[in-house]
Amino acid sequence: MIARIIIDLFLLLGCFFAFAGVVGLIRMPDSFTRMQSSTNIATLGVLWTVLGVAIYAFMNNNIAFGIKVILIGVFVVITSAISGHAILRGAYKHGIRPDNLVVDEYRRDNPDE
Amino acid sequence: MIEFVYVGIFYALLALMLLYRVLKGPSVVDRAVAADSIDILTVVALIVFSIFSNRSIYLDIALVLAILGFLGTVLIARYLEGRL
């Protein structure tokens, strides 16, 4: 019973963070702030839900299932950082700038790009 | 546990809400980021559905979907940089 309450709590936290990320992705004013808000889905939203599912699988003696779920979660969390970094550089080189840009240190460090 | 079904339906509704950003997004980066987020939400919904129905074939589909989404996003980023 206690374990079921804990699993529900984890699933609820995952739903909350995913909802916050989606609201930020729709409502934010700028491309780069929207990108920052989409990271919320891929890290915390995935991680809490995957932890809840893995606890449920381990509780039912379903070891292979739990290990596979944790592997998928770790894969998504690691690759979201990589793809976010790549698409940020791509957006900068494509000519997209933030709205209220004050200091541009990337341009200062790489003046020929 | 019936809660897994509710969580899966909630994630599917969030993915449907993100279709607004894919359709409207002013630049190509917004569309790419929103499509990547839709992919991740689908992966989580598949995980939850597979633990509900107790079939691990959906878990393999979720893993393949995660890998393909990552590759697609990195490919779009390389294309935007102009190095493809």
Side-chain angles (χ1 to χ4, degrees), chain A residues 35-52:
Chain A
M35 233 177 281
Q36 173 263 332
S37 177
S38 84
T39 319
N40 212 353
I41 302 171
T43 53
L44 284 176
V46 171
L47 214 55
W48 286 114
T49 313
V50 158
L51 271 182

Side-chain angles (χ1 to χ4, degrees), chain A residues 4 7-8 11 14-15 18-19 22 25-26 28 31 34-35 38 41-42 45-46 49-50 53 56-57 62 65 68-69 72 75-76 79 82-83 86-87 89-91 93-94 96, chain B residues 1 3-4 7 10-11 14 17-18 20-21 26-30 32-34 36-37 40-41 43-44 47-48 50-51 54-56 59-60 63 66-67 70 73-74 77 80-81:
Chain A
R4 196 165 165 175
I7 291 168
D8 281 350
L11 293 182
C15 282
F19 183 70
V22 168
L25 197 51
I26 290 180
M28 283 282 188
S31 275
R34 277 194 283 258
M35 233 177 281
S38 84
I41 302 171
V46 171
T49 313
V50 158
V53 172
Y56 180 74
N62 211 342
F65 212 103
K68 223 172 182 179
V69 168
I72 294 177
F75 178 80
V76 168
T79 56
I82 299 172
S83 69
I87 205 161
R89 266 181 62 136
K93 288 190 183 176
H94 192 244
I96 299 169
Chain B
M1 278 173 72
E3 293 97 314
F4 289 130
V7 173
F10 184 70
Y11 273 90
L14 288 184
M17 279 168 62
L18 274 186
Y20 169 75
R21 182 51 71 191
S27 66
V28 59
V29 181
D30 295 322
V33 169
D36 189 33
S37 298
I40 290 170
L41 288 178
V43 166
V44 178
I47 288 174
V48 172
S50 90
I51 190 85
N54 206 2
R55 294 184 183 186
S56 75
L59 220 53
D60 300 335
L63 185 58
I67 294 173
F70 167 65
T73 310
V74 171
L80 283 179
E81 280 186 38

Side-chain angles (χ1 to χ4, degrees), chain A:
Chain A
M1 192 62 199
I2 293 291
R4 196 165 165 175
I5 291 175
I6 290 174
I7 291 168
D8 281 350
L9 207 63
F10 277 19
L11 293 182
L12 210 63
L13 271 172
C15 282
F16 168 72
F17 278 109
F19 183 70
V22 168
V23 167
L25 197 51
I26 290 180
R27 294 278 301 167
M28 283 282 188
D30 192 357
S31 275
F32 288 83
T33 50
R34 277 194 283 258
M35 233 177 281
Q36 173 263 332
S37 177
S38 84
T39 319
N40 212 353
I41 302 171
T43 53
L44 284 176
V46 171
L47 214 55
W48 286 114
T49 313
V50 158
L51 271 182
V53 172
I55 287 175
Y56 180 74
F58 283 135
M59 219 173 61
N60 287 350
N61 284 326
N62 211 342
I63 305 292
F65 212 103
I67 288 176
K68 223 172 182 179
V69 168
I70 287 179
L71 270 180
I72 294 177
V74 168
F75 178 80
V76 168
V77 168
I78 289 176
T79 56
S80 85
I82 299 172
S83 69
H85 196 95
I87 205 161
L88 195 92
R89 266 181 62 136
Y92 188 89
K93 288 190 183 176
H94 192 244
I96 299 169
R97 296 287 182 275
D99 279 344
N100 302 314
L101 188 60
V102 179
V103 178
D104 196 354
E105 291 186 340
Y106 187 79
R107 170 71 66 190
R108 187 198 66 195
D109 290 341
N110 309 305
D112 52 342
E113 283 185 357

